[in-house]
Structure formats: C-alpha cells, structure tokens
Amino acid sequence: MNNFLSTVENVNNAVNGFVWGLPMLILLVGTGILMTCLTRFFQISHIRHWISNTIGGIFKDSHVTAHTKKNDTQISQFQSLCTALAATIGTGNIAGVAAAIVSGGPGAIFWMWIVAFFGMMTNFSENVLGIYYRRRNERNEWCGGAMYYLSDGLGSKPGCRYIGSILAVLFSIFCIFASFGIGNMGQINSITVNMNTAFGVPSIVTGILLMILAALVIVGGLKRIASVTEKLVPFMAIIYMICAIIVCLVHIDQFGAVFTSIIKSAFGMRAVGGGIVGSGVAMAVQWGMKRGVFSNEAGLGSSVMVHSSSNVREPVVQGMWGIFEVFADTIIVCTITAFAVLSSGLVDLETGTVISDQVSTALVAEAFSTVFGKFGYAFIAIAILLFAFSTTLGWSQYGSKAFEYLFGRKNIKFYHIIFVVFIVFGATMDLTLAWDLSDTFNGMMAIPNLIGVISLSGTVMKITRNYVQRNILHQNIKPMLSAIDDIQELHERELREKLENDEVETA
C-alpha cells in the first residue's frame, strides 16, 4: 500500500509540476493578455461603465438584486456574483497570500496584481461564452460552463466536433475531482484544524456539524445556495476587511516601506531572503502568479458555471461581473491581507525574509494579533470557518453542474450525498496527498478551458464589440445574445419589451 501511495505521489508531483509550472502560468496570463488586447483593454477603457453596471448597479438598479419568482429557476446577477465569490474568496485570500510572501517575498504581491489585471479579462471572456452558449435542462434551469462552449462552440468549428466533445468531458471529470478535494475536503480540513487550535473543538464534532449545515443548504439546490451566499459573502468580506484595514491603519507609518519593498522585490532590486537576485525574481514571479490564479480562479473555468445561471440576457453584462469578481478577490481582499502582514513587522522589508516562525493562516493571525491580541487568532479561525465553508457551498454547485453534464440531471442527488459525506472525511483525515491531488485536478481544469477561450476569442471580441456599439455608442444593430436560435429570439423579444416599458415609464 505504501509503495502504491508513493507511486501516486511521485506521478502527481510530476503532473503538478507541469500543471502549476511556469509554462502553464504563462499560458494563463497570456490568455488574459490576449483577451485584454482583443477587447481593447475593456477593463480600463470602460472602467466607469462596468463599475456602474456591477457594484454600482446594486444601489441604483433593482433588477440586479431582485430575487426571481419561486417557480423561476434563475438567480439574480448579485446572487450569481456572491455564489462565485463564495468559492473564490476563501483560504487563498489568507493562507494563499501568506504562502506567496513566505516563498516569493513581498514582490510576489506585485505579480498577483499583474495576474489579476489580465485575469479580469479571462474571467470576463469565460462568462461571456458561458452566457452565449448556455442552454436549458429539463427543469428549465440554465446550464452553462466550459463544457458547453467546448462542445457547442469549439465543437462547431470545422474538424473540431470530437475534440470539443472530448475536452468537455475531460473538463467535467477534472472539475468533479477538484470539487471533492480543494472544494470540499481541503476547505473543511482547514476549518477543523483552525477551530481545534483556536478553541479546542474536536475535529469530528466540527465535521459533523458542517456536514449537517452543508446538507441543509446543498440539497436545496442553487437557489438555496445563492440565498445563503448573498447574505454570508458580503457579511464575511466586509467584517474581514474592516479588521484588516484597522491593522493596516495602526501600522500606517509602514505603508511607504511596504510598497517600496513590494516593487523592489518584484524586480530584483534586492535579494529575496538573502538569495541571489535572479532566483529571487523568479520565485516572486512564480509564487505571485500561482497564488494569484489560485485565489481568483480566473482561467480555471469554475465560476462561469454559476454565472451562467444568472437571469441576465446580455453576455457582456455577466462578463462585467466576472471583471468585478477578480477585482474584489485579488486587488481588494488579497492586497489588504498582504499589507496587514507586511506592515506588522513580521517580514524584514529590506530583505524580504519572514521573521516569524509562523506560516499559512497562522502568519496572518499573528499579524492581526499585533493589534487585537489573542482575539486576532480567534478572529482568523472564524474567518477561515466562514470563508472555507462558503467555498465548499460554491464548489458543490460547480461539481453538480459537471456531474449533470456527464450523467444527467436525474442523478444529481447521488453526487450531493457523496459530496456531503466527504465533509466528515475531510474533517478527520490527513489530507496532504488528497490536497496535492485535488490541486493538480484543479489546475488540469484550466487546460481544456483555456483551449476553449483561446479558440473562441474571436467570438468574445465580436460579442463585446456588438455590446459596445449598442449600449455605449447607441447604434441600432442586431444584438448577439445566444448561439442558440430559440434563446436568441426569446432574449431579443424580452429586450424589445423592456425598451418599450422604459419608454412608457419615461413618458
């Protein structure tokens, strides 16, 4: 048995080295650069527009947050964002940032920003394609994601029918495995370890309680998950940021030194941890990119599965929510975490060496304790509980959609039961190998997804240009809303009716 596990570990390490190696990270960032160029730097050139129609729309447009009717299987735009953020805002924003600083120095944070800037347009493109190629299932629910734009988008190109179908199946398989690992057992294990350390709660007790809570939410389907996450995500994110900002303000005199350290370390103007400069830059780039992608998941094709369930008609509108998702996750939450750690005196800002013996979440907890004392450790334990549990809820939906694509809607309860049971395993098992395997599967999702995004980049460009011409330049042209004729006609009719109602209200 030990020999078998050793073989599995060696094979996984080799695959993981490629999946999360520099070539793959370059591909991930390269896709973001490609989509940024093709859309003419949409995240910058139309920044006022996408902010106004995402986070700004929450305060001025009731359609953004309005719940759909009880018998309507769609969810609101805001619910789709919160469910996606539930899966992305998690341990990566705490442990991931700490790991990037420990392994790559302060300069890793700069490269996290770069990944996020271009990742905005990767996520944008995934959501545009997700809405454009989505379809209804037998329960009238929207089904969208990489598997659909691979099979129907890439598969519609000459000679690519079988390639698209095979890649769609592979993506779904990798997604299911990842949902049990990083989306379930890894998150639950992080919760139980932190709750045991901070409060002495036995792991099995935490596991059983979380299993019951998750079962009550997950079996209710997407609408119940969305209902929980739209309350939990804003609450946990705001509370966490308030406390992190307080830590930053207490150490505000260090901000100049922190920013200088990030920039100098990113470009090798000083060695990281006393090592040679070239090695320091490479580590900063690799860890910054790796943890940036791990945090916001842009390019993995995961969050698009829940974004596709939104009641939105315009693909670009949901694409803009994808931009905001990456912006909120990495540019805001990860940055605040990084500044809290770097300004707390736990890192030598001259050399990038971590002075503290703590790693992962404990490093962030120690940073918080410099201001809040022992409460800092307890607060991070509770934050991990909320962040990681919400991640589990989000990933249960991703796995459900992948399972549905492979085995049909009627078998989805089987997946839910197995997923919930694995929560107890995650609470009580040593997950070193399981975490490594799921990390690999998570990265492997990106390969077919990026092939789909790149091959359909021209479609994204056309849809984006069509939206800009109609909604920003106010040109009277036919909208591009769906690749499926019946859905295209339905959405066109709905848009005409909305326009007529708006004109009546204005008059």
Side-chain angles (χ1 to χ4, degrees), residues 179-180 183-184 218 392 396 415-423:
S179 73
F180 284 109
N184 183 330
I218 292 170
T392 300
S396 73
Y415 171 82
H416 287 160
I417 292 170
I418 301 298
F419 188 88
V420 169
V421 169
F422 264 71
I423 288 176

Side-chain angles (χ1 to χ4, degrees), residues 127-326:
N127 285 356
V128 167
L129 292 172
I131 297 292
Y132 191 68
Y133 287 101
R134 69 181 177 176
R135 59 179 62 189
R136 298 276 194 180
N137 64 12
E138 60 266 30
R139 290 188 59 187
N140 206 36
E141 297 170 333
W142 283 121
C143 293
M147 49 279 210
Y148 294 96
Y149 54 75
L150 281 167
S151 59
D152 299 340
L154 175 59
S156 67
K157 293 183 177 294
C160 295
R161 178 184 173 188
Y162 293 109
I163 295 174
S165 297
I166 291 170
L167 290 176
V169 169
L170 288 174
F171 174 86
S172 300
I173 292 171
F174 297 150
C175 180
I176 291 171
F177 278 110
S179 73
F180 284 109
I182 284 179
N184 183 330
M185 293 191 296
Q187 303 296 331
I188 298 300
N189 194 254
S190 296
I191 293 173
T192 56
V193 169
N194 278 279
M195 294 301 287
N196 183 262
T197 302
F199 305 110
V201 181
S203 296
I204 186 65
V205 174
T206 303
I208 291 173
L209 289 174
L210 292 177
M211 181 184 72
I212 294 171
L213 288 173
L216 292 173
V217 178
I218 292 170
V219 297
L222 176 59
K223 293 201 77 168
R224 188 178 297 175
I225 293 173
S227 178
V228 172
T229 55
E230 76 169 334
K231 300 177 182 68
L232 182 59
V233 169
F235 169 77
M236 71 181 189
I238 291 171
I239 295 298
Y240 176 76
M241 285 195 296
I242 288 174
C243 291
I245 289 171
I246 290 173
V247 175
C248 291
L249 291 176
V250 170
H251 303 118
I252 196 168
D253 59 311
Q254 295 294 311
F255 261 44
V258 168
F259 190 76
T260 300
S261 179
I262 290 173
I263 299 301
K264 287 187 174 182
S265 177
F267 294 98
M269 296 178 191
R270 60 167 61 100
V272 175
I276 58 172
V277 172
S279 173
V281 175
M283 292 297 287
V285 172
Q286 188 164 1
W287 277 94
M289 287 185 174
K290 182 174 180 176
R291 288 300 148 190
V293 170
F294 182 80
S295 173
N296 59 53
E297 298 181 9
L300 303 189
S302 49
S303 65
V304 64
M305 286 180 273
V306 72
H307 278 292
S308 297
S309 297
S310 167
N311 61 357
V312 74
R313 302 182 190 91
E314 292 271 8
V316 170
V317 169
Q318 205 61 39
M320 292 188 291
W321 281 105
I323 295 176
F324 178 76
E325 179 190 337
V326 176

